[in-house]
Amino acid sequence: MDKKTVYSGIQPSGSLTLGNYLGALKNFIGLQDEYNCLYCIVDMHAITVAQDPKLLRKNTLDVLALYLAAGLDPEKSIIYIQSHVPQHAELGWILNTISSIGQLQRMTQFKDKSKKSKEVMAGILNYPVLMAADILLYQTSYVPVGEDQKQHVELTRDLAQRFNSKYSDTFTMPDILTPKSGARIMSLQNPEAKMSKSDSDENSYILLLDDEDATRRKIKRAVTDSLNSMAYKDDQPGLKNLINIYSSFTGESVENIVSKYEGQGYGVFKADLGDVIVEGLRPLRESFKEIRSDKSYLEKVYKEGADKASYLANKTLRKVYKKMGFIPR
Ligand code: AQP
C-alpha cells in the first residue's frame, strides 16, 4: 500500500522556541520512516507580520539548519522553502475565492495578531487559507502541529470539502496530529498565553539556540505560585507548564514527576528541569553549529527539496485548474 503523506511547516518569523520544538519539530522526526513527509520553512507565512529582510534570510537558513540538526533527513523527507514553490501562492489564491471572510475573522490567531497591529493587513486574515493550500497541494493525510493550529486545520478540511463537493473529489481530507505532551507550551512569564517566538519579553521563551546559562536562568525565573506545593493543577498554571516541559523531554509521567519532587520546593525541581532541557537539546545545539556553517550543503538541501515539492504540487494544481475551467497552455 502507498505510504500516506505528512505535511508541516514552521515560520522563520524569529528564532525557534521550545514550544515550536516540543509542539512540532520533535514530532516530525519519528514520522519520516512511516510516511512520505514534506517539511517546509514557510517564509511566505512569516511576511504576514512585518519582517526585516536581512533577518528573514538569516532565520530561514537557521530554521533549515535546525530541521536538519533535530534529525530531519533529506534522503527521507522533502525539506524546502515555501517561496521556492510558487504553487502554494497559486492554490492559496484559488482557495481564497471559496473562503468566507466571516469564518476567517473568527480564527483565534487572527483575533490575537490583529489586536497587536495598528493597521490590520489582509495577509493576517488570509494566513489560514495559504496554510490550507500548503496542506492540500500534497494530498496530505496528517498534519503534525501544536494545538494552536487546530482551528486552521479544521478550516483546511472545510475548504477541501467545499472544493470537493463543488468540483468533484480532488483533495485528501487531512487530520491533525498533536503530540501527547507538549502540544501547548505556555509562556514562562505568563502561563495563560502560549510560548511564542515573537513575544517581546525574552524571558517568556527558551530558544533552541539559547546557550546553557540563558536556558537555566530563564527556567529559574519562570513564574510559578506562592503555594510551594508540587502539583499538576489548573490553578497552578506556571508549575503545570514546567511539569509538561519536563515530561515532554524525559517521557516520564506527570504523576511520577510530581511524586519525585513532592516536598522539595520549586527550586530543586527548576534546577533539574534546567539540566533536563540543556541535556535534551545538547545534540541539536551541537550539530546546528556545524550544519549552519555549511552553506553549500544547505543550498543543496533546499534546491533538491524544491524540485521534488514542485513536481508534486504541480500535479495537484493542474487537476484543480482543469476542474475549474482554466484553459491549459
Ligand atoms: N507554545 C507552543 N506550544 C506547542 N506548539 C507550538 N507551536 C508554536 N508555538 C507553540 C507549534 O510550532 C509550529 C510552528 O509554528 P509557527 O512558527 O508556524 O507559528 P506559530 O504557531 O504562530 O508559532 P509562534 O512561535 O507563536 O510564532 P509567531 O510568534 O511568529 O506567531 C506549529 O505547529 C505550532 O503549532
Side-chain angles (χ1 to χ4, degrees):
M1 211 176 77
D2 276 352
K3 283 182 178 176
K4 290 189 170 174
T5 297
V6 160
Y7 176 92
S8 197
I10 298 186
Q11 298 183 80
S13 45
S15 196
L16 299 197
T17 70
L18 213 56
N20 300 133
Y21 179 68
L22 297 176
L25 180 54
K26 184 167 173 272
N27 309 300
F28 295 174
I29 316 302
L31 299 166
Q32 296 182 100
D33 290 317
E34 205 178 328
Y35 300 102
N36 290 321
C37 296
L38 292 108
Y39 295 117
C40 188
I41 297 138
V42 288
D43 52 352
M44 286 163 59
H45 280 278
I47 58 159
T48 56
V49 171
Q51 300 291 333
D52 169 357
K54 230 172 155 179
L55 254 184
L56 182 63
R57 264 191 292 276
K58 176 191 175 294
N59 288 333
T60 301
L61 294 177
D62 278 358
V63 176
L64 175 61
L66 280 171
Y67 274 8
L68 299 166
L72 287 189
D73 179 352
E75 299 297 320
K76 294 182 182 170
S77 299
I78 300 178
I79 302 167
Y80 69 104
I81 298 170
Q82 189 183 26
S83 58
H84 292 175
V85 182
Q87 290 88 344
H88 287 251
E90 291 180 62
L91 184 60
W93 176 252
I94 301 280
L95 296 177
N96 263 314
T97 65
I98 58 163
S99 298
S100 127
I101 292 181
Q103 192 176 13
L104 297 180
Q105 283 170 330
R106 286 193 292 277
M107 295 290 124
T108 312
Q109 196 178 74
F110 168 72
K111 288 193 219 160
D112 287 350
K113 291 206 166 165
S114 55
K115 252 188 258 161
K116 289 181 197 157
S117 340
K118 268 195 208 132
E119 191 180 8
V120 181
M121 300 298 173
I124 295 190
L125 182 69
N126 294 326
Y127 177 111
V129 183
L130 182 59
M131 179 166 158
D134 302 341
I135 296 167
L136 299 178
L137 261 183
Y138 301 100
Q139 307 297 351
T140 301
S141 294
Y142 300 111
V143 188
V145 281
E147 222 167 69
D148 60 316
Q149 296 296 333
K150 197 169 169 199
Q151 216 184 10
H152 292 167
V153 177
E154 277 161 11
L155 178 95
T156 303
R157 290 173 62 89
D158 286 351
L159 291 175
Q161 175 79 51
R162 203 169 294 162
F163 191 97
N164 286 352
S165 58
K166 197 164 174 195
Y167 298 105
S168 84
D169 232 18
T170 309
F171 296 122
T172 303
M173 293 296 271
D175 280 311
I176 189 169
L177 211 60
T178 48
K180 279 195 197 83
S181 75
R184 193 169 172 78
I185 301 298
M186 310 310 282
S187 153
L188 300 178
Q189 292 302 314
N190 171 16
E192 305 298 329
K194 79 161 186 145
M195 184 181 283
S196 266
K197 55 176 117 64
S198 57
D199 199 311
S200 55
D201 179 356
E202 63 172 36
N203 284 317
S204 72
Y205 50 67
I206 287 174
L207 299 179
L208 296 185
L209 298 178
D210 272 342
D211 61 26
E212 294 185 10
D213 286 350
T215 304
R216 291 200 170 90
R217 192 179 60 242
K218 288 178 183 182
I219 290 295
K220 227 187 225 170
R221 286 187 188 163
V223 167
T224 46
D225 53 72
S226 51
L227 299 173
N228 214 21
S229 142
M230 195 68 191
Y232 186 79
K233 289 194 190 139
D234 288 343
D235 60 358
Q236 290 174 269
L239 187 60
K240 186 176 173 185
N241 186 39
L242 297 183
I243 296 173
N244 278 334
I245 295 174
Y246 192 109
S247 169
S248 301
F249 271 102
T250 60
E252 274 180 64
S253 71
V254 161
E255 296 73 29
N256 265 0
I257 298 166
V258 169
S259 69
K260 192 156 101 184
Y261 289 98
E262 222 152 30
Q264 293 201 58
Y266 298 158
V268 177
F269 170 62
K270 280 180 165 184
D272 282 2
L273 176 58
D275 290 343
V276 159
I277 299 171
V278 164
E279 288 315 314
L281 292 179
R282 189 185 298 284
L284 178 149
R285 284 174 171 167
E286 281 174 4
S287 47
F288 171 82
K289 284 186 202 142
E290 203 182 308
I291 295 170
R292 183 64 175 87
S293 61
D294 192 345
K295 291 247 165 58
S296 60
Y297 174 60
L298 293 177
E299 196 177 308
K300 181 173 178 285
V301 170
Y302 69 64
K303 284 191 171 165
E304 287 180 5
D307 288 343
K308 293 180 200 162
S310 292
Y311 172 78
L312 297 172
N314 242 335
K315 280 213 292 200
T316 302
L317 199 64
R318 272 204 309 269
K319 249 195 246 173
V320 168
Y321 279 2
K322 191 170 168 203
K323 291 193 185 198
M324 296 189 76
F326 289 175
I327 305 278
R329 271 208 304 170

